[in-house]
């Protein structure tokens, strides 16, 4: 660790090359990151001494420009890593104890655990059974939202996978500047950082596809049931590019250069993205709507009988028309309850229903039509996004970005700042009308409804600003940030509009900034 600190302070050719390889040519970012790494190493040395063999890991936050809520349905994501990141210094131990320390000890108090604690006496046969177990539920309930869960999660998943190896523990020091609960993947960045350190210190041979899948499944430990898009973005991103990534199986499809005349602006709503039990239940209930819709469609729509994922139900993949899809959605009941679903699916799907219902508390009816329509539309939009970006088809790209957010919005603000509830009709009459017109699914927002009033306000202010192509929710929702794709000449007017019409009237500190695509996670070299 002491040699590391000397090398970073010396700022020699190898360190400068590392900075360029990870962050591009931004000299101000180089200087700021060098200070952060030096501060991390000084804190590590103060805690553990200067003579420990040490690895340094950086894991950035991410932005998903298109493909929200569909990675776990087999849809594409179009992602870029950003210059906000987690930094981890880790030294191996001979036992399996993990000592966690954070430069910001007030917000992230010291923690310590054994990797094997929760696995002793647990079933090793199935990861889902383990994360759903009473022991895990009691552990999470004892420290809801604790930062140590995101270190333990990937280690448990890797230990569960590498059953013939006893993973080493580590002494750790962590710092980071990704805003928490902002929809920029601060928690997933922690998961990836500790997965990288565990793989490196234990000399595990894990290819990228397996690494991404294991991180995504590892995060199920904390209670969510999302996919691995965030972990893929954090792991695979490249400087100056948007990554088009697919799933089932994971594959890095292509890297598309981010246009030099465009910028991505992120603005914080002032509301933290909720990770309470209630928010987690709502998130998991949306995922359950997907799964329940797929069960019914596979049973009742002959064309869908062999579909493994929602992405298999698009017109191109089935060889049908959009009108056929809308008519198929008519087979789904309108907002059924659990009792109705149990009756409709019967004994043949009892195990499926028990598994799906176990992920969340009962929250009332399931909007199968609205969620399925959103997912099918977003899968189409995310499939086309990279090509639109490459061709510079800004009109279509703008329309898709705005439609995508409409699928998540809860209210719409008019030019006077008055909010009205936003409703997407999913009645029989509405679906028959779409079928009659054979309307492109990419033009349909559906209803996922994971935004909040403040984010909808930011989005609507941005969308009425000159040179903005489109704005939408960043992250899974229920708070956090919005993101805007804007022409370079429109950045300052956009930021001023947000300052004047959102932050000042609400008495909030201004929180908008420009993001550039940086490299994905890396073991740093001095």
């Amino acid at each position: 660790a002491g040699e590391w600190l000397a090398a970073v302070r010396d700022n020699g050719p190898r360190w400068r090359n590392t900075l360029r390889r990870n962050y591009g040519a931004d000299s101000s970012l180089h200087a700021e990151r060098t200070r952060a790494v030096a501060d991390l190493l000084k804190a590590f040395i103060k805690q553990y001494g200067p003579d420990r063999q040490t690895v340094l890991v950086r894991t950035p936050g991410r932005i998903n420009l298109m493909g929200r809520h569909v990675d776990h349905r087999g849809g594409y994501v179009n992602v870029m890593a950003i210059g906000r990141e987690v930094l981890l210094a880790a030294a191996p131990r001979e036992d399996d104890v993990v000592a966690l320390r954070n430069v910001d000890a007030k917000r992230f108090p010291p923690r310590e655990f054994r990797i094997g604690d929760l696995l002793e006496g647990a079933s090793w046969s199935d990861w889902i059974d383990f994360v759903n177990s009473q022991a895990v539920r009691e552990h999470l309930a004892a420290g809801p939202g604790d930062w140590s869960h995101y270190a333990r999660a990937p280690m448990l998943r890797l230990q569960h996978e590498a059953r013939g190896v006893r993973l080493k523990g580590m002494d750790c020091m962590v710092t980071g500047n990704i805003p928490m609960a902002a929809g920029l993947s601060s928690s997933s960045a922690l998961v990836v950082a500790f997965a990288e350190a565990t793989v490196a210190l234990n000399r595990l041979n894990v290819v990228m596809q397996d690494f991404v899948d294991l991180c995504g499944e590892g995060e199920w430990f904390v209670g969510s049931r999302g996919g691995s898009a965030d972990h893929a973005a954090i792991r695979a991103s490249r400087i100056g590019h948007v990554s088009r990534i697919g799933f089932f199986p994971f594959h890095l499809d292509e890297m598309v250069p981010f246009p030099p005349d465009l910028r991505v602006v992120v603005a914080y709503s002032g509301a933290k993205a909720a990770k309470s039990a209630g928010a987690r239940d709502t998130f998991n209930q949306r995922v359950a709507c997907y799964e329940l819709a797929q069960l019914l469609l596979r049973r009742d729509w002959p064309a869908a009988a062999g579909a493994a994922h929602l992405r298999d139900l698009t017109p191109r993949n089935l060889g049908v028309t959009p009108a056929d899809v809308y008519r198929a959605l008519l087979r789904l009941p309108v907002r059924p309850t659990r009792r109705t679903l149990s009756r409709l699916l019967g004994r043949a799907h009892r195990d499926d229903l028990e598994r799906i219902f176990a992920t969340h508390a009962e929250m009332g009816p399931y909007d199968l039509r609205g969620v399925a329509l959103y997912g099918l539309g977003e899968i189409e939009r995310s499939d086309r996004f990279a090509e639109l970006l490459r061709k510079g088809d800004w009109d279509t790209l703008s329309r898709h970005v705005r439609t995508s957010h409409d699928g998540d919005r809860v209210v719409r603000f008019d030019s006077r700042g008055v909010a009205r509830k936003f409703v997407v009709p999913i009645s029989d009459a509405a679906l028959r009308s779409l079928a009659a017109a054979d309307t492109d699914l990419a033009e349909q927002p559906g209803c996922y409804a994971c935004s909040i009033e403040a984010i909808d306000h930011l989005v609507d202010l941005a969308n009425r600003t000159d040179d903005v192509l489109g704005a939408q929710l960043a992250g899974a929702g229920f708070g956090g940030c919005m993101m805007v794709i804007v022409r370079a000449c429109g950045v300052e007017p956009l930021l001023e509009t947000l300052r004047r019409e959102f932050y000042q009237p609400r008495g909030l500190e201004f929180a908008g900034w420009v993001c550039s695509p940086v490299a994905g996670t890396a073991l740093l070299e001095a």
Side-chain angles (χ1 to χ4, degrees), residues 180-184 267-275 279 450-456 458 473-482:
M180 292 180 60
L184 302 177
Y268 179 51
S269 67
K272 290 186 175 182
K275 292 190 175 180
C450 280
S451 185
I452 60 171
E453 175 267 344
I455 289 177
D456 289 343
L458 280 168
L473 171 68
F478 307 118
C481 293
M482 70 121 183

Side-chain angles (χ1 to χ4, degrees), residues 273-444:
K275 292 190 175 180
S276 64
R280 206 160 47 239
D281 284 334
T282 303
F283 178 83
N284 290 345
Q285 198 248 23
R286 300 289 196 279
V287 176
C289 287
Y290 277 140
E291 297 190 359
L292 293 163
Q294 287 172 233
L295 284 176
L296 287 163
L297 290 172
R298 279 199 297 264
R299 188 193 68 178
D300 298 338
W301 185 25
H309 307 287
L310 190 71
R311 61 126 187 262
D312 300 328
L313 302 182
T314 61
R316 186 178 67 178
N317 288 333
L318 284 182
V320 300
T321 66
D324 293 323
V325 175
Y326 296 125
R327 284 191 286 267
L329 294 180
L330 284 166
R331 302 169 187 263
L332 298 176
V334 177
R335 302 184 65 80
T337 63
R338 286 192 177 190
R339 177 177 294 182
T340 301
L341 288 162
S342 297
R343 177 176 53 80
L344 287 173
L345 287 163
R347 292 184 178 181
H349 291 284
R350 180 185 298 169
D351 291 345
D352 292 318
L353 290 174
E354 286 182 359
R355 172 183 57 80
I356 293 168
F357 292 156
T359 65
H360 58 285
E362 187 163 1
M363 306 185 69
Y366 292 80
D367 187 5
L368 305 189
R369 289 185 177 186
V371 170
L373 186 57
Y374 170 84
L376 290 166
E378 189 75 355
I379 286 168
E380 292 282 16
R381 292 185 287 271
S382 64
D383 187 39
R384 304 172 191 180
F385 184 84
E387 184 67 13
L388 298 174
L389 197 65
R390 186 187 302 104
K391 288 183 175 179
D393 184 350
W394 304 143
D395 288 342
T396 305
L397 185 145
S398 175
R399 196 164 62 248
H400 285 357
V401 170
R402 295 171 188 235
T403 300
S404 177
H405 182 76
D406 283 348
D408 260 324
R409 73 162 66 242
V410 291
V411 296
R412 188 186 293 281
F413 284 80
D414 63 23
S415 58
R416 298 172 297 167
V418 176
R420 291 182 173 82
K421 185 177 180 180
F422 185 77
V423 178
V424 175
I426 47 96
S427 65
D428 287 4
L431 290 175
R432 289 193 181 103
S433 177
L434 292 172
D438 202 26
T439 308
D440 185 356
L441 276 164
E443 305 296 333
Q444 298 311 306

